[in-house]
Amino acid sequence: MTQLAQVKKAAAFLNKKTKNFKPEIALITGSGLAGSIPPLEKEIKIPYSSIPGFLQSTVPGHSGNLIFGVYKGRKLVVMQGRFHYYEGHPMKDLAISIRTLKLLGVEKLLVSAAVGSMDLKLKPGSLCVLKDHINFMCNNPLIGNHDPAFGPMFFDLSEAYDKAMRKTALAAAKKVGVTAGEGVYLAATGPNFETPAEIQMFKKWGATVVGMSVVPEVLVARQCGISVLGLAWVSNMGCGIEKKPLSHAQTISETKKIEGKFKKLLEILFVKL
Ligand code: HPA
């Protein structure tokens, strides 16, 4: 089956389950952030495991549900839990969920993720609103995966992260009392955290934060014309910046601390974006 046929099948299943609910905004929640979703009206929760052709998430801290609902009149879908390259999914398969969102009618995508920071002004608990990225995964979900139904093979990324949405996010962060700045996301494959030497190199390249997701999702979304806002929550300083070892438990516990603020931020963004 082609990926287009696979994605059409997933979308048809979801359209039937939701009676053709057409979400305008999608949110992907990252590590430990699944609890930040504001309460939605007319909520419909659909486990990834029930959606034909969908991947399953395998990482602790990442639950696997699509949640449809309405927030103050805005129609939303939340991917509660995401898929990572390091889980062993073929890179191409990371396009499935985003292309399904496109077929459902999504126009705007908010990607949230926990990250390590290389900027001393963005300490744990701060928000880095992404203005650009560096793809150091050395792979791409669009390779050998082109279908004109999802846009041109060659497409522009001079503004991968929507400028107006970034401005709205920075203003919302200020309102909620979160330290925030714009920055560049460097995507590493994981699953290991980086070495101190890698962090120093990424910093020299102009990266602000580092993580193990986001970029494959953004590439797929931009190709098919979905606008993107990247919200990277700092859970730790990049390896070697502070003299303590990194752990996934720390990522989860640090992101849990910002859950309340993230929820408030989303309440603003769901209305203003
Ligand atoms: N590196 C990569 N991914 C991450 C980090 C990190 O330091 N923290 C949270 N996700």
Side-chain angles (χ1 to χ4, degrees), residues 37-93:
I37 306 160
L40 305 178
E41 294 162 48
K42 300 179 189 163
E43 190 179 295
I44 305 174
K45 196 172 185 172
I46 303 176
Y48 294 158
S49 57
S50 70
I51 309 170
F54 231 64
L55 302 181
Q56 307 305 320
S57 61
T58 63
V59 192
H62 282 262
S63 34
N65 297 295
L66 267 189
I67 303 173
F68 295 83
V70 179
Y71 186 81
K72 295 196 176 161
R74 300 301 290 279
K75 292 166 92 177
L76 310 169
V77 59
V78 180
M79 275 185 67
Q80 195 184 34
R82 60 148 55 85
F83 308 110
H84 306 83
Y85 187 37
Y86 64 70
E87 292 173 78
H89 301 299
M91 190 49 120
K92 263 189 209 177
D93 287 356

Side-chain angles (χ1 to χ4, degrees), residues 127-270:
L127 175 69
C128 182
V129 176
L130 304 182
K131 63 174 179 185
D132 207 344
H133 72 227
I134 298 170
N135 182 4
F136 190 60
M137 287 186 169
C138 305
N139 202 341
N140 185 316
L142 304 172
I143 292 176
N145 195 18
H146 184 242
D147 194 309
F150 293 113
M153 181 179 288
F154 307 106
F155 58 100
D156 176 63
L157 282 179
S158 49
E159 200 188 296
Y161 300 84
D162 189 88
K163 213 170 183 171
M165 287 166 87
R166 276 155 44 194
K167 207 171 150 199
T168 307
L170 287 169
K174 202 166 174 189
K175 212 164 177 184
V176 171
V178 172
T179 305
E182 283 196 318
V184 175
Y185 181 100
L186 185 132
T189 62
N192 56 280
F193 291 107
E194 300 68 36
T195 64
E198 285 165 347
I199 291 295
Q200 288 311 311
M201 176 179 74
F202 296 159
K203 208 172 156 181
K204 282 190 187 135
W205 284 356
T208 317
V209 293
V210 58
M212 306 174 194
S213 59
V214 171
V215 165
E217 297 155 0
V218 172
L219 295 174
V220 178
R222 294 303 301 129
Q223 185 188 43
C224 66
I226 297 174
S227 303
V228 173
L229 174 65
L231 302 172
W233 291 97
V234 176
S235 61
N236 55 278
M237 298 311 289
C239 183
I241 294 179
E242 287 179 343
K243 301 276 165 276
K244 55 182 180 195
L246 307 183
S247 70
H248 186 58
Q250 182 192 354
T251 302
I252 302 289
S253 69
E254 284 297 326
T255 44
K256 281 263 167 274
K257 286 188 201 162
I258 56 92
E259 236 173 32
K261 282 191 171 167
F262 188 31
K263 193 170 172 185
K264 286 200 180 122
L265 191 81
L266 287 174
E267 284 168 356
I268 297 175
L269 294 178
F270 285 161

